């Protein structure tokens, strides 16, 4: 949620910033709601002051043995008016909050202008895409060739956009997960968490998935619980209603979870294989930092995600998302895009975002900057480190041989039970 003080102080600048997202800030509606709030608050404060003054006079009158009956009746009347005005103020604030909750975050000045992915700014590349002297297979062909990927049975039991991994492919999936967890906990300083896969609506609202992205969520029928679209939701909500002390910053958590997304509006997009599934897994990184450290934290977070790709010897590039392509809650986002030979294109495998105080204000996550200083909102960040299914796709396609076998990257050896090449008979 945006800082109300910023909105009140300079609504025009807010409107100009949000216009870079192609979001129209209704200044007239905001001015109307703010005028109503100010008037109701002023009246409530005036009534409260009158009642306080009168109550004091009643006390003084009683001490002097004077009759305070009329003043007591007046206090009762003021109390009724105050209660009515406070209820009206609460209603206005509720309407204002409901309107503000639908507003996206302000963009950092460094975010490039643009309408969509074609306008994202490439920052750097790592590694050179492999040049095969044969026609490379896609990951579905590779997996099905050796009977390790079964899309047909998955569709029979669950429908489209599900998969079954078997044998060495399932082992590779698990090895990738364990490698990522160990890398980030042992070398990058994140604390591992096991978190719920079901969360309530307030948790999703806190991280920005609700109300905007309700269509993409799987909800339990008859209940206000949802399957998590990412571990960002439960991890970030660990900070709800907390005040961190300075020694606790930076706060760094990691979790491996399944993720569930309805993919509403994505029909016809990546329907083949593992790229866009209703159920997939990620290793997610979440940070809370001092506001002065959040820009540096975004760079560090991105480097941590890049380390996975470099260890797996997967070519990738880093792009800064433009105003028209950035997520609802993010102030700035770097996407990591891995090279997929079958598509002859770079595809997103991680998004690393700085939300600044946007999520923190929603969940009341704060830190104490010093003794005798009031708590302030922390800055939150998150990134995938990485999306496991897409990493599996990239490993299969980039490390394949002409016979359809796949060389396993050396960094995965501790978790591959002696398997060094996938798809080798016997």
């Amino acid at each position: 949620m945006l800082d109300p003080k910023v909105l009140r102080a300079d609504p025009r600048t807010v409107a100009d910033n949000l216009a870079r997202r192609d979001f129209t800030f209704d200044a007239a509606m905001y001015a109307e709601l703010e005028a109503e709030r100010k008037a109701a608050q002023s009246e409530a404060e005036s009534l409260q002051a009158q009642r306080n003054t009168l109550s004091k006079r009643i006390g003084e009158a009683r001490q002097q043995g004077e009759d305070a009956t009329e003043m007591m009746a007046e206090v009762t009347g003021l109390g009724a008016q105050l209660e009515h005005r406070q209820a009206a103020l609460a209603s206005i604030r509720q309407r204002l909050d409901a309107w503000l909750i639908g507003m996206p975050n302000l963009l950092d000045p460094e975010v490039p202008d643009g309408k969509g992915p074609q306008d994202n700014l490439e920052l750097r590349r790592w590694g050179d895409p492999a040049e095969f002297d044969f026609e490379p297979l896609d990951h579905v062909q590779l997996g099905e060739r050796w009977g390790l990927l079964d899309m047909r049975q998955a569709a029979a039991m669950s429908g489209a956009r599900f998969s079954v991994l078997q044998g060495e492919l399932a082992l590779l999936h698990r090895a990738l997960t364990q490698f990522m967890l160990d890398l980030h906990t042992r070398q990058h300083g994140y604390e591992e968490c096991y978190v719920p896969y079901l969360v309530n609506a307030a948790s999703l609202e806190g991280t920005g998935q609700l109300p905007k992205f309700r269509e993409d969520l799987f909800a339990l029928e008859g209940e206000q619980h949802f399957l998590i679209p990412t571990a960002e939701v439960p991890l970030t909500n660990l900070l709800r209603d907390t005040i961190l002390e300075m020694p606790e910053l930076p706060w760094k958590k990691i979790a491996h979870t399944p993720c569930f997304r309805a993919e509403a509006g994505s029909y016809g997009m990546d329907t083949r294989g593992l790229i866009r599934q209703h159920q997939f897994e990620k290793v997610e990184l979440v940070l809370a930092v001092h506001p002065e450290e959040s820009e540096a934290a975004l760079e560090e977070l991105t480097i941590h995600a890049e380390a996975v790709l470099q260890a797996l010897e997967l070519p990738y590039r880093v792009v800064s998302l433009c105003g028209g392509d950035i997520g609802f809650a993010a102030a700035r986002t770097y996407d990591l895009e891995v090279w997929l030979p079958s598509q002859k294109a770079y595809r997103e495998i991680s998004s690393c975002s700085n939300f600044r105080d946007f999520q923190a204000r929603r969940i009341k996550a704060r830190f104490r900057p010093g003794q005798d200083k009031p708590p302030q909102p922390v800055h939150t960040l998150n990134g995938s480190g990485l999306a496991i299914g897409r990493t599996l796709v990239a490993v299969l396609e980039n490390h394949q041989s002409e016979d359809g076998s796949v060389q396993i990257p050396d960094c995965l050896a501790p978790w591959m039970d002696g398997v060094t090449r996938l798809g080798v008979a016997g």
Side-chain angles (χ1 to χ4, degrees), residues 150-172:
D150 193 333
M151 308 298 294
R152 185 183 63 83
Q153 289 287 50
M157 70 176 80
S158 301
R161 297 183 190 262
F162 290 93
S163 60
V164 174
L165 310 183
Q166 302 178 116
E168 292 175 350
L169 192 59
L171 176 63
L172 176 57

Side-chain angles (χ1 to χ4, degrees), residues 37 40 79 93 155 270 286 290 292 316-317 326 328 370 384 424:
R37 183 196 63 79
R93 282 176 171 162
D270 296 317
V286 172
H290 191 287
E292 294 178 0
Y316 68 90
R317 68 175 187 168
I326 201 167
F328 175 85
S384 300
V424 176

Side-chain angles (χ1 to χ4, degrees), residues 83 166 204 221 254-255 277 288 290 294 302 360 402 421:
E83 184 176 343
Q166 302 178 116
L204 288 156
E221 187 174 356
I254 182 174
Q277 298 259 286
H290 191 287
S294 68
T302 306
E402 189 171 5
R421 183 172 286 274

Side-chain angles (χ1 to χ4, degrees), residues 11-12 15 24-36 95-96 99:
R12 174 44 53 196
T24 301
F25 173 67
D26 192 335
M29 177 181 287
Y30 174 71
E32 181 180 338
L33 287 171
E34 261 298 285
E36 288 184 42
R95 287 163 51 203
L96 189 57
W99 183 67

Side-chain angles (χ1 to χ4, degrees), residues 255-277:
H256 158 240
T257 68
C259 306
F260 305 91
R261 297 185 187 176
E263 296 290 355
S266 64
Y267 300 104
M269 297 174 59
D270 296 317
T271 56
R272 177 178 170 80
L274 306 177
I275 297 294
R276 195 180 295 271
Q277 298 259 286

